[in-house]
């Protein structure tokens, strides 16, 4: 059993090491994505205008007038003082060709007071990497590796990294098993030493304790092995949680949600109940943002929600409007779990459902917790610091694991060569 586990850990680790190294380093950085973005791109995010802000829907219409080939799909309703509003846009269909117009950018930044356009950028672009796109480049690299669209499918990166996370989750269990002390083997015939000479048998913990230690000064090979094993043990629970949540987020629609639905009472969202049309076949909405805003304000008031509408968005592959309720200073929302939301059909305006953070069945809360736990935002600033440190540890474990394999491989090759050339071995 142990030999099988060793082989599984070795080859699973080699398979995922490179991916985890990249994901670990990028994860350590993107824990601070908003702060880094503000630091690098003040020209887009800081708004110089002073005074009352213009209505957000008016600014959105102005964006579409200036960019007639683009459709505004996300309208932030209010900005923090001194900050711009960023409108997410996607290309419209070219009536002459039936294909989407080229999309050199997907964000438009506007001063909410003056209406002045501060700039555009292509969030998440793989190339070129610029000051404006650097943070979003790392963000998408973290969970998609920027694998391009192939054969009409643009989720290859999500699937690949989701599969890597599944292997990592299982490998965490195998790795933990390998650290446990082996069962004692009692020889068939033994010479029993006198009681005064025979050392007392070590307890199970005494035999396991060395696995938690790092032997400094014992040589590079032993230090590398101890770093891999001890850090893996000390952080094992966090490693397992990060691996599992990475799998659940990347393969949510394909694996995680269907599996949860089989074993628990999880409430599907309107997006779970619809099949997307595909990015090249957007569904046109018959209701405007103003129509949806009026309905959402009334429905929110009936529910006793005190927060204002913070953002309107339209998912045109699903034909669904989402209306989020929050204050501008609470953009991340409820420890990263998001905000209260209402969902409307883009054609007839029917209310499709609602979402409230940390409410619902136990399964609903478990599903909601995946991103806050994975990002560390569930614990606020300390959680994000912890996730950054864990990203560095994941990268270190990937490197030390490969080095352990390489050294053992070299040692086995040396033994094999010595057996093939016994005279050379004796000469040495």
């Amino acid at each position: 059993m142990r030999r099988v586990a060793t082989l599984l850990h070795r080859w699973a680790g080699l398979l995922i090491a490179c991916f985890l190294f990249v994901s670990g380093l990028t994860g350590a950085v993107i824990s601070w994505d908003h702060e880094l973005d503000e630091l690098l791109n003040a020209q887009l995010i800081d708004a110089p205008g002073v005074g009352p802000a213009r209505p957000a829907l008016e600014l959105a219409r102005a964006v579409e007038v200036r960019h007639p080939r683009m459709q505004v799909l996300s309208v932030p309703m209010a900005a923090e003082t001194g900050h711009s509003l960023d409108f997410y846009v996607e290309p419209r269909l070219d009536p002459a060709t039936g294909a989407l117009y080229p999309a050199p950018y997907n964000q438009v930044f506007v001063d909410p007071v003056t209406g002045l356009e501060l700039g555009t950028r292509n969030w998440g672009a793989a190339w070129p990497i610029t000051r404006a796109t650097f943070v979003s480049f790392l963000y998408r690299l973290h969970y998609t590796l920027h694998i391009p669209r192939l054969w009409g499918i643009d989720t290859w990166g999500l699937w690949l990294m989701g599969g890597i996370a599944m292997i990592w989750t299982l490998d965490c269990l195998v790795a933990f098993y390998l650290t446990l002390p082996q069962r004692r083997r009692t020889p068939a015939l033994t010479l029993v030493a006198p009681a005064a000479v025979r050392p007392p048998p070590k307890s199970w913990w005494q035999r396991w304790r060395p696995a938690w230690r790092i032997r400094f000064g014992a040589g590079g090979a032993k230090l590398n092995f101890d770093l891999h094993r001890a850090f893996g043990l000390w952080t094992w629970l966090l490693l397992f949680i990060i691996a599992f949540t990475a799998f659940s987020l990347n393969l949510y629609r394909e694996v995680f949600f269907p599996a949860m639905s089989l074993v628990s009472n999880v409430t599907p969202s309107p997006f779970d109940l619809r099949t997307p049309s595909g990015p090249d076949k957007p569904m046109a909405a018959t209701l405007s943002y103003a129509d949806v805003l009026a309905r959402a304000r009334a429905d929110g008031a009936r529910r006793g929600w005190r927060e204002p509408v913070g953002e309107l968005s339209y998912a045109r592959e699903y034909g669904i409007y989402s209306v989020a309720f929050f204050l501008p200073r609470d953009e991340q929302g409820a420890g990263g779990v998001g905000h209260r939301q209402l969902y409307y059909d883009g054609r007839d305006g029917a209310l499709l459902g609602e979402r409230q953070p940390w409410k619902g069945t136990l399964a609903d809360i478990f599903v909601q917790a995946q991103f806050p736990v994975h990002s560390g935002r569930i614990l606020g600033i300390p959680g994000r610091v912890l996730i950054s440190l864990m990203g560095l540890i994941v990268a270190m474990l990937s490197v030390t694991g490969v080095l352990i394999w390489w050294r053992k491989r070299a040692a086995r090759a040396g033994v094999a060569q010595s057996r093939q050339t016994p005279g050379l071995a004796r000469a040495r």
Side-chain angles (χ1 to χ4, degrees):
M1 178 65 181
R2 195 174 189 89
R3 177 176 175 80
V4 173
T6 301
L7 290 173
L8 287 173
H9 182 58
R10 177 189 304 163
W11 296 112
L14 289 173
L15 175 64
I16 66 178
C18 181
F19 300 102
L20 294 189
F21 180 79
V22 173
S23 190
L25 290 183
T26 53
V29 176
I30 64 173
S31 292
W32 312 96
D33 54 342
H34 290 277
E35 291 82 357
L36 287 172
D37 204 22
E38 291 185 12
L39 180 65
L40 293 173
N41 300 294
Q43 77 283 0
L44 295 176
I45 295 173
D46 294 341
V50 178
R54 297 185 181 182
L57 294 185
E58 175 187 317
L59 295 173
R61 286 191 292 270
V63 167
E64 291 190 331
V65 169
R66 289 195 299 268
H67 305 269
R69 293 186 173 187
M70 307 300 283
Q71 178 183 4
V72 173
L73 296 182
S74 177
V75 181
M77 296 302 293
E80 294 184 66
T81 303
H83 283 200
S84 64
L85 291 178
D86 63 287
F87 295 88
Y88 179 74
V89 297
E90 287 187 4
R92 299 179 184 275
L93 287 174
D94 183 348
T97 64
L100 296 174
Y101 284 111
Y105 52 87
N106 55 25
Q107 277 184 308
V108 179
F109 294 84
V110 176
D111 187 321
V113 176
T114 64
L116 177 68
E117 186 172 306
L118 303 176
T120 63
R121 74 173 174 191
N122 190 5
W123 189 96
W127 191 263
I129 304 171
T130 65
R131 185 187 184 96
T133 63
F134 176 70
V135 175
S136 64
F137 166 80
L138 293 181
Y139 201 97
R140 286 186 60 85
L141 180 66
H142 177 72
Y143 68 95
T144 70
L145 296 182
H146 287 286
I147 294 178
R149 185 180 186 186
L150 299 170
W151 304 294
I153 300 174
D154 56 6
T155 53
W156 292 108
L158 281 171
W159 293 347
L160 172 63
M161 294 303 285
I164 294 297
M166 287 182 66
I167 296 172
W168 184 21
T169 302
L170 297 174
D171 190 47
C172 282
L173 301 174
V174 176
F176 184 82
Y177 166 76
L178 288 174
T179 68
L180 300 176
Q182 299 186 49
R183 295 177 60 183
R184 291 177 175 177
R185 295 182 179 181
T186 304
L189 296 174
T190 59
L191 295 176
V192 180
V197 179
R198 188 169 66 247
K202 291 184 177 181
S203 66
W204 185 83
W205 165 244
Q206 286 176 322
R207 290 186 289 125
W208 193 29
R209 187 164 53 187
W212 297 76
R213 295 174 176 171
I214 299 175
R215 293 168 289 181
F216 294 99
K222 290 182 179 179
L223 177 61
N224 182 79
F225 180 80
D226 288 350
L227 287 173
H228 187 78
R229 184 175 63 175
F231 267 93
L233 273 175
W234 283 106
T235 62
W236 183 86
L237 183 60
L238 288 173
L239 290 171
F240 181 80
I241 290 173
I242 293 171
F244 181 85
T245 52
F247 143 69
S248 68
L249 291 170
N250 268 44
L251 297 178
Y252 174 82
R253 190 177 184 90
E254 294 81 1
V255 180
F256 182 66
F257 183 80
M260 287 290 296
S261 301
L262 291 175
V263 301
S264 59
N265 184 22
V266 59
T267 305
S269 75
F271 295 96
D272 297 321
L273 300 175
R274 289 194 178 185
T275 302
S277 62
D280 297 334
K281 299 177 181 179
M283 300 183 190
T286 56
L287 269 71
S288 67
Y289 281 116
D291 297 329
V292 174
L293 177 62
R295 298 186 185 207
R297 283 174 171 167
D299 290 335
R302 279 193 290 271
R303 287 164 170 76
W305 295 358
R306 297 182 179 181
E307 300 89 350
V309 173
E311 185 177 50
L312 297 169
S313 60
Y314 179 63
R316 59 184 189 173
E317 290 185 47
Y318 294 87
I320 296 175
Y321 277 106
S322 299
V323 183
F325 293 74
F326 62 93
L327 296 169
R329 65 174 180 270
D330 191 31
E331 185 180 357
Q332 297 305 305
V337 79
H339 316 93
R340 289 172 169 168
Q341 295 197 51
L342 295 175
Y343 305 102
Y344 295 89
D345 188 284
R347 295 183 177 179
D348 60 18
L351 180 62
L352 301 177
E354 67 178 62
R355 178 186 185 274
Q356 296 197 55
W358 304 120
K359 289 189 177 181
T361 66
L362 288 176
D364 292 338
I365 294 173
F366 180 73
V367 170
Q368 289 184 26
Q370 298 303 298
F371 176 75
V373 169
H374 185 78
S375 63
R377 295 182 184 276
I378 194 170
L379 298 178
I381 296 296
R384 294 164 69 190
V385 171
L386 181 60
I387 289 299
S388 289
L389 292 175
M390 287 303 302
L392 298 177
I393 289 174
V394 168
M396 181 271 291
L397 292 175
S398 301
V399 173
T400 54
V402 172
L403 288 177
I404 290 171
W405 167 78
W406 182 261
R407 283 174 173 150
K408 288 185 176 181
R409 179 179 180 274
R412 287 192 296 268
V415 171
Q417 184 177 6
S418 298
R419 289 175 178 174
Q420 292 175 0
T421 56
L424 179 60
R426 285 194 297 271
R428 292 179 179 175

